Amino acid sequence: MARKTANDDPLAPVTLAVGQEDLLLDRAVQEVVAAAKASDADTDVRDLTSDQLQPGTLAELTSPSLFAERKVVVVRNAQDLSADTIKDVKAYLGAPAEEITLVLLHAGAAKGKGLLDAARKAGAREVACPKMTKPADRLAFVRQEFRAVGRSGTPEACQALVDAIGSDLRELASAVSQLVADVEGTIDEAVVGRYYTGRAEASSFTVADRAVEGRAAEALEALRWSLATGVAPVMITSALAQGVRAIGKLSSARGGRPADLARELGMPPWKIDRVRQQMRGWTPDGVAVALRAVAEADAGVKGGGDDPAYALEKAVVTIARAARSRGRS
């Protein structure tokens, strides 16, 4: 989700959208344009890339209009502006024109930091649009998407959707839109399964779930399907690592209610219940063996081996055997 500063007026003279998540950047622009057009249906919108904003262009775009129309000027990839154009923008920040909203989209890295600092110093409204690299962030995004349209999805459904779709926020947002348009009432895991079963079966987390449950044949089938459909091997090793670590964390934790364990371990309560079911048959030695297998597979898919698929298959089989280690000699 995009995060905003205290100045949350989309018609503020300057909006600074910072980050590299394309969907959130586009939404920041759309919010400003929608507010401007709600104020003046004839609002003129100019959407420019950094190379289109040459020295002097901003002055032309922000000069007074005979018709006193509202205007929105969007500048994408502002960190790539030329030095002379940055001087123009900084000068404008000191005396922004009335009825004009300037929207600067900036990646937020070191490049062009002077412009970023100048906009902040000038009191620009800021919208944070960071890449969502953590599964927990994408899960929170899906929940927010349901809330934004006044609908609800169960925790299991939200997780299943993230597992099935992956890291593309546009696809996650589109999936939520499709589900709420097609299905009445609460969206549950069964509904997500009906719509996205093929993708869910091919997801890296399905591979991990089947492996830590000791279901080697199903894990290998899901692994081969995942690789065939383009899932990156490194995503699969990441999911395997998360699955095994969750087993280890919960097996060494003190007993208690899911809510208490969730706070202690940093997991949602529903996941505590799932991991509890998966950890049957595991021993501390089994967890250690599985973690070594994941580490070897990770090295194999990152260039340490000739065949990433073989490295993953070997890890999946080892993890599945470790999941059945309790009671074996």
Side-chain angles (χ1 to χ4, degrees), residues 85-119:
T85 304
I86 287 177
K87 290 179 182 178
D88 288 351
V89 176
K90 287 182 177 179
Y92 178 82
L93 293 173
E98 293 184 7
E99 300 299 311
I100 293 178
T101 298
L102 175 64
V103 184
L104 299 173
L105 275 56
H106 194 292
K111 186 177 183 181
K113 188 174 183 299
L115 177 59
L116 194 62
D117 293 342

Side-chain angles (χ1 to χ4, degrees), residues 147-161:
R147 286 196 292 268
V149 293
R151 296 289 297 278
S152 62
T154 66
E156 295 83 1
C158 293
Q159 184 65 56
L161 201 56

Side-chain angles (χ1 to χ4, degrees), residues 61-290:
L61 292 173
T62 57
S63 60
S65 167
L66 288 174
F67 303 103
E69 63 187 359
R70 180 174 288 280
K71 186 179 292 184
V72 174
V73 179
V74 180
V75 181
R76 298 182 183 271
N77 298 313
Q79 72 279 356
D80 295 330
L81 290 171
S82 68
D84 288 339
T85 304
I86 287 177
K87 290 179 182 178
D88 288 351
V89 176
K90 287 182 177 179
Y92 178 82
L93 293 173
E98 293 184 7
E99 300 299 311
I100 293 178
T101 298
L102 175 64
V103 184
L104 299 173
L105 275 56
H106 194 292
K111 186 177 183 181
K113 188 174 183 299
L115 177 59
L116 194 62
D117 293 342
R120 287 169 171 163
K121 186 176 180 180
R125 167 182 178 257
E126 185 168 343
V127 182
C129 306
K131 275 286 186 185
M132 294 190 181
T133 58
K134 297 179 180 179
D137 292 338
R138 295 192 287 272
L139 184 59
F141 172 80
V142 169
R143 290 172 176 162
Q144 178 58 34
E145 288 294 289
F146 278 117
R147 286 196 292 268
V149 293
R151 296 289 297 278
S152 62
T154 66
E156 295 83 1
C158 293
Q159 184 65 56
L161 201 56
V162 172
D163 291 349
I165 301 298
S167 60
D168 191 314
L169 291 199
R170 291 189 189 278
E171 291 195 29
L172 285 170
S174 176
V176 171
S177 296
Q178 179 181 6
L179 288 170
V180 300
D182 292 354
V183 180
E184 296 182 357
T186 299
I187 308 297
D188 59 21
E189 189 175 15
V191 170
V192 174
R194 286 200 304 271
Y195 275 73
Y196 298 99
T197 181
R199 296 184 67 163
E201 289 171 0
S203 76
S204 55
F205 287 99
T206 299
V207 178
D209 284 342
R210 298 298 85 81
V212 299
E213 291 162 4
R215 296 153 67 178
E218 294 175 45
L220 287 171
E221 181 182 0
L223 170 63
R224 289 160 187 160
W225 193 349
S226 295
L227 294 174
T229 54
V231 176
V234 69
M235 296 296 294
I236 299 174
T237 55
S238 176
L240 289 171
Q242 289 182 50
V244 175
R245 286 181 189 135
I247 298 288
K249 283 182 179 180
L250 192 55
S251 62
S252 62
R254 300 185 302 274
R257 298 178 303 168
D260 296 331
L261 287 170
R263 285 191 295 272
E264 179 183 344
L265 302 178
M267 299 180 190
W270 66 264
K271 189 169 184 179
I272 297 292
D273 292 333
R274 175 181 287 183
V275 176
R276 272 179 168 166
Q277 295 174 356
Q278 292 175 333
M279 64 187 287
R280 296 167 187 162
W282 281 91
T283 65
D285 287 343
V287 172
V289 168

